[in-house]
Amino acid sequence: GAVVSQHPSRVICKSGTSVKIECRSLDFQATTMFWYRQFPKKSLMLMATSNEGSKATYEQGVEKDKFLINHASLTLSTLTVTSAHPEDSSFYICSASWTGGDTEAFFGQGTRLTVV
Amino acid sequence: GESVGLHLPTLSVQEGDNSIINCAYSNSASDYFIWYKQESGKGPQFIIDIRSNMDKRQGQRVTVLLNKTVKHLSLQIAATQPGDSAVYFCAENGRGNQGGKLIFGQGTELSVKP
């Protein structure tokens, strides 16, 4: 099956610093990648849709200047949390898809971000 | 389903029993649905999917039922095992949505008692 690798799995950073999370599709070309945020005991909330070579589309209420997304190649998308604050602490998950039609998405293992 | 502000529902079953997990989806135009299993600290894992032109689909020990009239989806797990303990989410891909763009339901935490 399709494999999506997310790195790092855990990161602790100081308040005010920026953190980059990588999402890679290992055995397929991902035309589209998605970024989700998940709070404890809650569902996954879609943050943004990232298409290779174009700007990301953000969901309502998600600050694009806070959560910078880059999808420079068909196998890599990055999410940078800029000037992180404790309220940005969360579980961030990416997924990748390869077609424009109805299809499942393949998920990374998630990144636990803790801002201290 | 709407998940903001709601706590995760829980379902506790005895090992060997059958489990039924329910989900109400929100978009009547959605035509593709997936059930995912999420273990603590991990990403969602695909279980089974169903398209809107079907009302039932079976996998290994799992069955998904779709009732479009009432916008309801269920996941049945036969002979539930301790390894099935996890949070289960339904997800929908609305018609016209970009492939892979999924909206997740609230989730249900399944606990299997030995």
Side-chain angles (χ1 to χ4, degrees), chain A residues 5-73:
Chain A
S5 177
Q6 199 171 328
H7 178 82
S9 57
R10 287 179 177 271
V11 58
I12 300 173
C13 71
K14 291 185 177 180
S15 188
T17 62
S18 295
V19 174
K20 181 184 285 187
I21 302 170
E22 293 186 347
C23 181
R24 293 181 184 274
S25 57
L26 298 186
D27 51 2
F28 67 100
Q29 292 185 325
T31 52
T32 310
M33 289 186 174
F34 304 89
W35 287 95
Y36 294 82
R37 183 175 182 176
Q38 187 178 30
F39 291 104
K41 299 291 186 181
K42 298 290 185 181
S43 186
L44 284 75
M45 294 183 62
L46 181 64
M47 298 174 65
T49 301
S50 168
N51 292 301
E52 184 266 337
S54 62
K55 289 185 178 180
T57 302
Y58 290 80
E59 296 298 305
Q60 192 173 10
V62 177
E63 300 176 60
K64 57 182 68 177
D65 294 331
K66 159 68 79 174
F67 301 101
L68 300 179
I69 292 171
N70 183 278
H71 192 163
S73 78

Side-chain angles (χ1 to χ4, degrees), chain B residues 3 6-8 20 27 36-37 51 53-54 71 74 77 79 92 95 100 109:
Chain B
S3 66
L6 298 176
H7 293 289
L8 211 59
I20 299 176
N27 188 349
Y36 285 95
K37 173 185 180 182
R51 298 194 182 276
N53 60 353
M54 303 172 69
K71 292 188 290 184
S74 70
I77 304 174
E92 58 183 298
R95 190 189 304 276
E109 184 171 16

